[in-house]
Amino acid sequence: MISEKTAVAYSAAAESDLGRKRSSNEDAFGYSVERGVYVVCDGMGGAAAGEVASSLAVDELMRLLAGSASRGPTREEAERAIDAANQAIFSRARRNHKLSGMGTTMVLLLTDDRRAWFLNVGDSRGYRLRQDRLEQITVDHSHVEEQVRAGRMSRAEAERSPLRNVITRALGTQSQVTPDVFELETEPGDLFLLCSDGLTRELSDPLLESILRLGLPLDALCARLVGAANQAGGQDNVTCLLVRAGQSISSGNGKARRGG
Ligand code: CA
């Protein structure tokens, strides 16, 4: 029996794969279960610039949010760190013309016991599986998403559109960027997915849901997701990061198993 006061203990696993068509991986990820910080980025830009942008973003975010503090970051600290990561990429691109125009998407999850926040820029996504139902939490910053929301395009048309790669917000391409923020209440059993578009282009939401519902260990689920995306074509780099909210047996303050 789960009491209202039961602490939530998180666990995580991630996998990033080249896919079957690309020669380099421009995706990057990082996480700290201890600090409740999880991030996936998908870089873009000529030559190796996309890789530089996504790894710079992940490094900056992990350094600022999971580096030294004895507690997990607040939403405000996350927003400041995103601003700093944006500045770091933007100024690096200005100093080096080979990196000009580089940028990256970002989806960040913060967890704090029974609360969680998704912050996103671009079309890397955050989902939540709750009681076997998958829900996309973030909203893509993309041209086709805007067209769908304005009623000018159907979902099916968006998926086939030649403009589906066009994103309307990125880290590092402008001097300022504003992420969207989604606050959630967490329940034991929730499973969060952070991923790059190389996963969601290949696998529909119902297919993602059917894999996540298998209830396998997180590393096995990551392997299934990457394998399925590659089997479906693997046109792009594929990255998935899974975070499971479990029931804590020992919260350290004696309240973990009240009423059990
Ligand atoms: Ca991609």
Side-chain angles (χ1 to χ4, degrees):
M1 180 179 172
I2 295 166
S3 104
E4 277 308 302
K5 297 286 183 192
T6 304
V8 174
Y10 293 90
S11 55
E15 190 167 329
S16 188
D17 191 82
L18 201 53
R20 298 175 69 179
K21 303 288 159 89
R22 299 290 175 95
S23 57
S24 64
N25 191 343
E26 300 194 327
D27 290 355
F29 70 85
Y31 64 89
S32 163
V33 174
E34 198 185 3
R35 297 284 185 265
V37 179
Y38 310 85
V39 62
V40 167
C41 290
D42 174 357
M44 68 218 171
E51 272 176 272
V52 173
S54 61
S55 58
L56 192 54
V58 168
D59 290 350
E60 274 294 282
L61 291 167
M62 293 307 295
R63 183 177 69 80
L64 293 167
L65 297 175
S68 58
S70 58
R71 52 162 181 77
T74 63
R75 170 197 161 162
E76 290 73 24
E77 286 166 338
E79 286 173 314
R80 283 200 292 277
I82 290 166
D83 184 49
N86 182 67
Q87 295 284 345
I89 300 164
F90 187 69
S91 61
R92 176 86 68 91
R94 288 182 72 157
R95 287 199 307 270
N96 182 343
H97 75 273
K98 284 184 188 156
L99 301 175
S100 177
M102 71 173 170
T104 182
T105 69
M106 177 217 72
V107 57
L108 175 73
L109 177 72
L110 301 180
T111 57
D112 179 17
D113 195 20
R114 282 181 170 260
R115 290 187 302 168
W117 294 263
F118 267 122
L119 296 94
N120 77 302
V121 173
D123 64 356
S124 292
R125 291 180 180 172
Y127 288 85
R128 178 181 62 194
L129 183 82
R130 173 172 285 176
Q131 292 172 349
D132 285 346
R133 241 197 82 243
L134 187 68
E135 183 186 357
Q136 184 182 335
I137 304 294
T138 58
V139 177
D140 294 352
H141 300 133
S142 68
H143 172 73
V144 293
E145 180 66 31
E146 287 178 0
Q147 296 297 306
V148 169
R149 293 204 163 231
R152 289 195 285 268
M153 197 182 261
S154 70
R155 285 269 163 226
E157 286 168 334
E159 279 165 25
R160 292 191 304 267
S161 168
L163 297 176
R164 66 187 190 279
N165 285 323
V166 177
I167 60 172
T168 52
R169 245 187 263 184
L171 277 192
T173 55
Q174 309 275 327
S175 62
Q176 298 233 298
V177 72
T178 306
D180 284 341
V181 183
F182 302 86
E183 183 167 355
L184 305 163
E185 286 214 5
T186 305
E187 291 177 4
D190 285 351
L191 179 61
F192 297 99
L193 166 67
L194 292 75
C195 60
S196 62
D197 68 340
L199 185 75
T200 51
R201 289 282 171 77
E202 303 293 0
L203 305 179
S204 66
D205 285 7
L207 197 47
L208 285 177
E209 185 182 89
S210 69
I211 294 171
L212 295 174
R213 286 174 66 164
L214 293 171
L216 298 167
L218 296 183
D219 51 356
L221 281 180
C222 284
R224 289 275 185 126
L225 290 171
V226 168
N230 280 330
Q231 210 164 19
Q235 300 290 330
D236 195 1
N237 309 140
V238 186
T239 300
C240 56
L241 199 174
L242 289 171
V243 184
R244 182 174 275 151
Q247 189 178 348
S248 175
I249 294 167
S250 163
S251 69
N253 61 10
K255 283 197 280 189
R257 279 217 163 219
R258 219 178 61 165

Coordinates of all heavy atoms in Angstrom, one line a residue, residues 22 26-27 42-43 105 123-124 165 196-199 201 236-238, ligand 1:
R22 N 23.7 7.7 -40.5 CA 24.6 8.9 -40.2 C 26.0 8.4 -39.9 O 26.2 7.3 -39.4 CB 24.0 9.7 -39.0 CG 22.7 10.3 -39.3 CD 22.7 11.4 -40.3 NE 21.4 11.9 -40.7 CZ 20.8 13.0 -40.1 NH1 21.5 13.6 -39.1 NH2 19.6 13.4 -40.5
E26 N 25.3 13.4 -33.3 CA 25.2 14.7 -32.9 C 24.2 14.9 -31.7 O 24.0 16.0 -31.2 CB 24.6 15.6 -34.0 CG 25.6 15.6 -35.2 CD 25.3 16.7 -36.2 OE1 24.1 17.1 -36.4 OE2 26.3 17.2 -36.8
D27 N 23.8 13.7 -31.2 CA 23.0 13.7 -29.9 C 23.9 13.7 -28.7 O 25.0 13.2 -28.9 CB 22.0 12.5 -29.9 CG 20.9 12.6 -30.9 OD1 20.7 13.6 -31.6 OD2 20.2 11.6 -30.9
D42 N 20.1 17.5 -29.0 CA 20.3 17.0 -30.4 C 20.8 18.2 -31.2 O 20.1 19.2 -31.5 CB 18.9 16.5 -30.9 CG 18.9 16.2 -32.4 OD1 19.9 16.3 -33.1 OD2 17.8 15.7 -32.9
G43 N 22.1 18.1 -31.6 CA 22.8 19.3 -32.2 C 22.5 19.4 -33.7 O 22.2 18.4 -34.4
T105 N 18.8 21.3 -29.8 CA 17.6 21.2 -29.1 C 17.9 20.8 -27.6 O 19.1 20.4 -27.4 CB 16.7 20.1 -29.6 OG1 17.3 18.8 -29.4 CG2 16.5 20.2 -31.1
D123 N 12.7 20.3 -30.7 CA 11.8 19.2 -30.9 C 12.3 17.9 -30.3 O 11.7 16.8 -30.6 CB 11.5 18.9 -32.4 CG 12.8 18.6 -33.2 OD1 13.9 18.5 -32.6 OD2 12.6 18.3 -34.4
S124 N 13.2 17.9 -29.4 CA 13.5 16.7 -28.5 C 12.3 16.7 -27.5 O 11.9 17.8 -27.1 CB 14.8 16.8 -27.8 OG 15.9 16.7 -28.8
N165 N 11.7 19.1 -40.5 CA 13.0 19.3 -39.8 C 13.2 20.7 -39.3 O 14.1 21.0 -38.5 CB 14.2 19.0 -40.7 CG 14.4 17.6 -41.0 OD1 14.2 16.8 -40.1 ND2 14.7 17.2 -42.2
S196 N 15.5 12.1 -28.5 CA 15.7 13.0 -29.7 C 14.7 12.6 -30.8 O 14.1 11.5 -30.7 CB 17.1 12.8 -30.2 OG 17.4 11.5 -30.6
D197 N 14.6 13.4 -31.8 CA 13.6 13.1 -32.9 C 14.0 11.9 -33.7 O 13.1 11.3 -34.4 CB 13.4 14.3 -33.8 CG 14.7 14.6 -34.7 OD1 15.8 14.2 -34.3 OD2 14.5 15.3 -35.7
G198 N 15.2 11.4 -33.6 CA 15.6 10.1 -34.3 C 14.8 9.0 -33.8 O 14.6 8.0 -34.5
L199 N 14.3 9.1 -32.5 CA 13.4 8.0 -32.0 C 12.0 8.2 -32.5 O 11.3 7.3 -33.0 CB 13.5 8.0 -30.5 CG 12.7 6.9 -29.8 CD1 13.4 5.5 -30.0 CD2 12.4 7.1 -28.3
R201 N 10.7 10.0 -34.9 CA 10.4 10.0 -36.3 C 10.2 8.5 -36.8 O 9.4 8.3 -37.7 CB 11.6 10.5 -37.1 CG 11.8 12.0 -37.0 CD 10.9 12.7 -38.0 NE 10.9 14.1 -37.7 CZ 11.9 14.9 -38.1 NH1 12.9 14.4 -38.8 NH2 12.0 16.2 -37.7
D236 N 18.3 8.6 -38.5 CA 18.9 9.7 -37.7 C 19.5 9.1 -36.5 O 19.3 7.9 -36.1 CB 17.9 10.7 -37.4 CG 18.5 12.0 -36.9 OD1 19.7 12.2 -36.9 OD2 17.7 12.9 -36.6
N237 N 20.3 9.8 -35.8 CA 20.8 9.4 -34.5 C 19.7 9.2 -33.5 O 18.7 9.9 -33.6 CB 21.8 10.5 -33.8 CG 22.9 11.0 -34.8 OD1 23.2 12.1 -34.8 ND2 23.5 10.1 -35.5
V238 N 19.8 8.2 -32.7 CA 18.7 7.9 -31.8 C 19.2 8.0 -30.3 O 20.1 7.3 -30.0 CB 18.2 6.4 -32.0 CG1 16.9 6.1 -31.2 CG2 17.9 6.2 -33.5
Ligands
CA1 CA 18.0 14.4 -34.8

